Amino acid sequence: MARKRPVFNCLFCEHCCYFSEEYEMPVVFPWEKRELEKIAAEIGVKLHFKPLQAFIDRNGVCAITLYRWEIQGFCPFFDKASKRCSIHDDKPLACRMYPLLIEMPSGNLMASGKCDWIKQQGPRFIRQLSTKPETIPEVFPAEFEAAKKAFIEFTTINSFIERHGLQPINVNKLNNCNEVFDIDDYMARFD
């Protein structure tokens, strides 16, 4: 008899909402950044983001495609008492898909070793995820849907960038741009 695959069930271990290293911090799309800032303003919280990826067109106009949400310690939306996200329905895709992670631009999907639920499943389970990636949607159904949506958003943006001949620009050189837009605002100019 085949052993039934476990289905991810968050243990509310806090690891996904606590950040000590920059590489752990969520990557968000510009529209997610704006939504997070709006929610934060309503409760009097200041958030910090930095451009992570940007492109420049032949007219010197730049478009930011991704931001790093800079969080030191617990996410400002993490409720320590309940160990729950206070903006669960509005959280960005990076948070919705955790413990799944997408390696961009390859699209490789992986599971975070930081997650206590994954650790509980043991090394055999972790090996199975890498050798049988087709099991990921069964084990992480909601998280896989969020990861799929994030990948579609990313590839849609990249297709637009390729079609319009934008070139990568170092985010530290955005002050050299004639204008700077978030990618969705930049794309809207072509509708």
Side-chain angles (χ1 to χ4, degrees), residues 64-187:
I64 299 169
T65 56
L66 295 170
Y67 286 91
R68 170 86 60 200
W69 181 7
E70 295 182 314
I71 307 170
Q72 283 298 320
F74 279 107
C75 171
F77 300 117
F78 179 71
D79 180 341
K80 292 178 189 168
S82 67
K83 293 187 175 187
R84 303 290 196 277
C85 176
S86 65
I87 63 161
H88 182 75
D89 293 338
D90 297 311
K91 63 186 178 182
L93 290 168
C95 299
R96 290 177 187 276
M97 67 188 202
Y98 191 85
L100 298 180
L101 307 168
I102 302 175
E103 179 185 72
M104 294 297 186
S106 71
N108 289 335
L109 196 58
M110 9 186 192
S112 173
K114 217 171 121 175
C115 172
D116 282 353
W117 185 86
I118 290 175
K119 289 179 197 172
Q120 253 185 15
Q121 305 311 306
R124 182 175 175 210
F125 171 78
I126 294 167
R127 271 192 307 282
Q128 181 186 31
L129 287 178
S130 12
T131 58
K132 294 185 178 180
E134 66 276 7
T135 64
I136 291 174
E138 295 170 37
V139 177
F140 303 97
E143 297 75 16
F144 181 75
E145 285 305 311
K148 215 165 58 170
K149 186 172 182 186
F151 187 72
I152 290 167
E153 295 285 351
F154 185 79
T155 55
T156 300
I157 290 167
N158 280 344
S159 292
F160 174 89
I161 287 167
E162 286 177 24
R163 278 193 321 276
H164 289 85
L166 279 75
Q167 298 299 312
I169 183 171
N170 184 316
V171 293
N172 297 320
K173 296 188 179 191
L174 290 175
N175 56 343
N176 295 339
C177 301
N178 292 333
E179 291 181 273
V180 178
F181 292 92
D182 283 338
I183 189 64
D184 51 331
D185 293 331
Y186 181 91
M187 291 167 73

